[in-house]
Amino acid sequence: MIQIKDITFSYSRSSKPVFRDFNLALSENCIYGLLGKNGTGKTTLLYLITGLLRPKHGSITCDTATEKWPMAFESSARRPELLREMFIVPEEFEFPLSTLDRYVSDNAPFYPHFNREVLERCLQEFELSGTTKLFSLSMGQKKKVLVSFALAAGTKYLLMDEPTNGLDIPSKSQFRKVIAQNMTDERTLIISTHQVHDVESLLDHILILNNSQLLLNESVANITDRYAFTTCQVDDNANAIYSEPSPQGIAAIMERTAGMAETQVNLELLFNAVTKGALR
């Protein structure tokens, strides 16, 4: 698991802390959706977890335990034992001037669980080949390549920052498919995104971040057990916990009562309800 304990972080001594005494525990075999307004620290949190940034105070510990190696490491130490179990897909990145095959041969050795078959399956799903010249790809195609490599790396921790930015509509469907097919019981996946509808069917757990605080830290199962997400007419929303106009009528969150069918979470509606204080 990832254990974040009492971290404080700011980008300079004079700037307002992004996090102050922040705590969070993340479990394995779970896909987390990390949501928040611009500037609330989503990307910063991912970089802190990977050790690319270091907290001023507090600690972030990542368990890499196996039967032969029962250990946990602080991410800020950047130990090889942890780095080989961690991969981040940033929102913006550049590939070297080489082919995909060369990129794989240069980088796969850093990841002891790298699986070439997983890579080939993902590339095939994304309609790409190993002989592709990376410098000739569009931004969306580059994102597909890096997501494919990230899944093939077989790391225990996988973090993605806005992974569907730059993807067209068919590619977003392909993205959901490759994630669902290659998620393993030992892996923790954190997806930070504004494109909530692109990933809402994938998520097991929702984190909503705002000004060093978690406004929501809840499993999708618990959310759908307690609430129903519906579309109704104006006269039918009197009992809604939260509602807002939508093209189909009134989008609403209701307390789920006995006999009421389970509904899929509407992440955009949930986010608005939580950030406006209507739902905790």
Side-chain angles (χ1 to χ4, degrees):
M1 71 184 309
I2 299 172
Q3 187 72 46
I4 301 172
K5 187 174 181 181
D6 298 328
I7 64 165
T8 296
F9 176 82
S10 60
Y11 282 97
S12 69
R13 291 183 179 180
S14 60
S15 64
K16 179 181 177 181
V18 182
F19 294 103
R20 187 190 298 275
D21 300 325
F22 182 80
N23 294 274
L24 178 63
L26 303 173
S27 302
E28 65 182 9
N29 190 24
C30 193
I31 302 178
Y32 289 90
L34 178 61
L35 314 180
K37 297 178 182 178
N38 291 335
T40 55
K42 301 187 301 300
T43 298
T44 301
L45 183 60
L46 297 186
Y47 284 13
L48 285 164
I49 291 172
T50 57
L52 294 171
L53 295 174
R54 292 179 170 87
K56 308 300 181 183
H57 304 288
S59 63
I60 301 175
T61 304
C62 299
D63 177 21
T64 61
T66 65
E67 292 182 4
K68 295 182 178 180
W69 192 256
M71 292 291 289
F73 299 96
E74 282 210 33
S75 60
S76 60
R78 302 284 291 168
R79 290 284 297 272
E81 296 91 339
L82 177 57
L83 294 179
R84 69 188 185 188
E85 292 291 349
M86 188 169 283
F87 198 100
I88 183 168
V89 177
E91 182 177 7
E92 297 181 359
F93 58 92
E94 290 294 337
F95 277 126
L97 299 177
S98 67
T99 64
L100 174 53
D101 276 337
R102 178 61 184 271
Y103 178 83
V104 172
S105 65
D106 287 346
N107 290 276
F110 291 105
Y111 301 97
H113 310 299
F114 189 86
N115 189 321
R116 185 76 192 217
E117 292 182 1
V118 171
L119 176 66
E120 296 296 341
R121 286 201 305 268
C122 293
L123 291 175
Q124 184 177 10
E125 185 64 40
F126 283 132
E127 301 173 353
L128 295 168
S129 72
T131 59
T132 298
K133 295 180 179 179
L134 296 176
F135 55 86
S136 68
L137 299 178
S138 68
M139 190 61 234
Q141 289 173 318
K142 290 179 181 178
K143 187 69 69 75
K144 295 176 190 179
V145 168
L146 193 57
V147 167
S148 298
F149 185 91
L151 291 167
T155 56
K156 188 169 185 177
Y157 303 108
L158 177 54
L159 296 80
M160 297 185 174
D161 193 8
E162 301 291 351
T164 60
N165 276 5
L167 300 184
D168 56 23
I169 293 174
S171 299
K172 291 177 180 181
S173 178
Q174 293 167 341
F175 170 81
R176 290 189 291 270
K177 185 176 179 179
V178 298
I179 294 295
Q181 288 179 338
N182 294 285
M183 184 66 183
T184 64
D185 291 344
E186 298 80 20
R187 176 172 277 167
T188 300
L189 172 56
I190 308 171
I191 302 175
S192 171
T193 185
H194 291 102
Q195 311 296 327
V196 292
H197 293 307
D198 294 343
V199 301
E200 60 188 359
S201 62
L202 288 172
L203 303 181
D204 302 310
H205 201 103
I206 310 298
L207 305 169
I208 297 181
L209 190 62
N210 186 56
N211 296 330
S212 289
Q213 294 183 335
L214 276 173
L215 299 184
L216 185 72
N217 179 9
E218 196 67 75
S219 71
V220 170
N222 286 344
I223 293 170
T224 56
D225 186 58
R226 294 175 58 190
Y227 304 108
F229 297 79
T230 66
T231 301
C232 55
Q233 300 304 312
V234 176
D235 296 338
D236 300 325
N237 73 331
N239 296 321
I241 298 171
Y242 176 80
S243 63
E244 59 184 43
S246 76
Q248 292 76 34
I250 302 296
I253 302 176
M254 307 279 193
E255 289 276 3
R256 191 174 169 210
T257 57
M260 187 178 291
E262 183 177 302
T263 60
Q264 181 175 317
V265 174
N266 181 328
L267 269 185
E268 184 175 337
L269 192 64
L270 177 68
F271 179 84
N272 291 340
V274 169
T275 55
K276 293 178 181 178
L279 197 66
R280 294 288 182 182

